[in-house]
Amino acid sequence: VQLQASGGGLVQAGGSLRLACVASGRTFSSIDMAWFRQAPGKEREFVASISWSGGSTYYTDSVKGRFTISRDNAKNTVYLQMNSLRPEDTAVYYCAADPLSTARAMARQVSMAIWGKGTQVTVSS
């Protein structure tokens, strides 16, 4: 599986963005997926994950109620809808997959088997 993220940009605080991650490969629909982010000078951190069916989702506390992860297996795409953005959400966002892990376990992982190239999200105050 190869991953390509897009949708980042510059937005004012309180605004919204939707990130998309398109996966190549026929196994996408059977793999749990996640979004991570890395802010300048900080370590990469978990943001959200979703099970292969879309039935289970997990979020880091700081984005709960503001971000929504979803997927469309027919389009090999996972999304991250980000609302009520804050300056502290500024980071490079990465989509990731790990065929040997689960969406629940990904919330505690710092390393994943497959990473996409990141997309920059900048939130101005």
Side-chain angles (χ1 to χ4, degrees), residues 42-107:
K42 295 188 177 180
E43 294 185 352
R44 193 173 298 185
E45 65 172 354
F46 168 83
V47 176
S49 60
I50 187 167
S51 62
W52 65 269
S53 67
S56 297
T57 57
Y58 302 88
Y59 299 91
T60 192
D61 286 346
S62 63
V63 309
K64 283 180 182 176
R66 300 189 298 123
F67 291 11
T68 302
I69 189 171
S70 62
R71 67 190 296 160
D72 184 340
N73 286 342
K75 295 182 178 179
N76 275 16
T77 303
V78 61
Y79 302 98
L80 186 67
Q81 177 67 44
M82 305 185 294
N83 299 329
S84 302
L85 282 161
R86 304 167 180 168
E88 54 264 39
D89 295 318
T90 294
V92 177
Y93 284 71
Y94 300 88
C95 61
D98 192 335
L100 299 181
S101 186
T102 65
R104 183 175 183 176
M106 290 173 186

